[in-house]
Amino acid sequence: MENKNILENENITKLFFKFAIPSIFGMLIVSLQIMVDGMFLGQNVGPMGLAAVNLSMPLINFLMSIGLMICVGGGVITSIYKGNKKIKKSREITTITLGLLIFVLEFLSIIVLIKLDFFIKVLGANENIYPYVRAYMIPMMIGAFFYTAPIFTETFVKIEEKPNFVFISGLTCLVFNVILDYLLIVRLKLGMTGGASATIIACAFGFFALLPNLRFKLPRKKIGYYINDIKNIFYNGSSEMLSVVSSTFAMYLFNLVIMDKIGVLGVSALTIVFYINQLLNISLYGLSQALQPLVAYNLGARHLDKIKKVLKVSLITGGSLGVIAYVGSHLWGTFIIKIFSKGNQELIELAGTALFYVSFAYLISFANIISTSFLTSIEKPLESVIVSMGRSIIFIAIPLFILPNIIGSKGIWLSIPIAEILCLIVSFYLMKKSILYLERKLKY
């Protein structure tokens, strides 16, 4: 009854921030974890290490996107059942979601490991950087499930109305990652293998830290009985997966263009900028994680006014974060870049130029990221996919392949804010259309 009173009666703005603040801080800690990896690799391996991580990330993020699809899709279905007061069914879906996550990720990671050399070549690695990429990829593929597992626990612990516990997971990951990075990279001189291993082990600790707080129930019937729920898990989570996949594909395109126009140093510069971008983007994903269970629950409970309120507060908060990130990148960007660059002045200048142009996207991207999560939460994955693919592929590919031939390397960096502006038009239209749909659906 306590859970019912919280979700039904508490002020929706207060409830949103109760979910959002731990999510943002938790995701910021994850972002710091990623940056810590970059700092250790940048200082101990150098630009080749940073470039190897960036070349590896399209494939790593693809597997993570599969995990995200399962976690988000399962979370949406679980929240809707909970909003409909079907508590036993919601716990069964929690169990099924974890089973799917383990099976699918392990299956895919085995395939990648069998054909690893092929995938590394496809990622664009030349013979010089090849051994760095391979050394990083092997541990990341072996531990693919644990790399994604904290997404599962952090998603479902919020559904259990314990959002503050997300902070515990993130802090656990960060502390263990710093310790393990120091031990494996600095002390044991394991380089790329040490950096990847530290990430996987730290994520495993973050997963197990929250696991006891989740409520599972073994499915009462044969798996065929749940086939529609499983289909809906993949269907509702597909937009989140495609959002990451499209971003991953964009990263792949950037790597190809930069390797052609600038070289390995350009990929290293892009890696540093992406580390800085993570501070904002991952905070916005934290907002989205707070939005999803609240919107999905109120969709099941048929509370349209609360759904609108959550969306409004999300956009205002996201916009504020975007402004802070834009100002912060201009005030402290150079300082952060120097942490990764190991005194390489050419790399510092190149990354600084890239950050100057890319930072304009911070003023816009929040609306597009929140839009995809909102559309997923109201079971509009197709619309969410349109926004995701527009933002990360369609609108970015055109300027990326045209502008560098006209204005040089500036065109590479400017393609990111241009894509966000074009996508904003689509996001606004689809959100407005979806609100009208909800007004008709929930009116009766």
Side-chain angles (χ1 to χ4, degrees), residues 8-82:
E8 292 287 346
N9 300 325
E10 188 162 337
N11 178 275
I12 195 66
T13 302
K14 181 179 178 182
L15 189 61
F16 173 78
F17 284 110
K18 184 178 287 187
F19 276 65
I21 291 174
S23 290
I24 292 172
F25 278 103
M27 295 296 278
L28 275 174
I29 290 174
V30 173
S31 181
L32 289 173
Q33 178 184 340
I34 295 169
M35 293 181 73
V36 165
D37 278 343
M39 289 164 54
F40 276 100
L41 290 173
Q43 291 294 327
N44 292 276
V45 180
M48 293 290 277
L50 291 175
V53 171
N54 206 17
L55 288 173
S56 303
M57 288 316 292
L59 185 54
I60 293 169
N61 283 345
F62 173 74
L63 291 187
M64 187 188 74
S65 73
I66 302 294
L68 183 65
M69 171 181 64
I70 295 170
C71 294
V72 170
V76 168
I77 301 301
T78 299
S79 296
I80 290 174
Y81 276 128
K82 192 173 183 181

Side-chain angles (χ1 to χ4, degrees), residues 7 59 62 74 144 198 261 290 318 320-321 336 355 374 393 396 409:
L7 290 172
L59 185 54
F62 173 74
K261 301 291 184 182
S320 300
L321 289 174
I336 297 174
L355 180 61
F374 174 74
I393 297 180
I396 212 167
S409 62

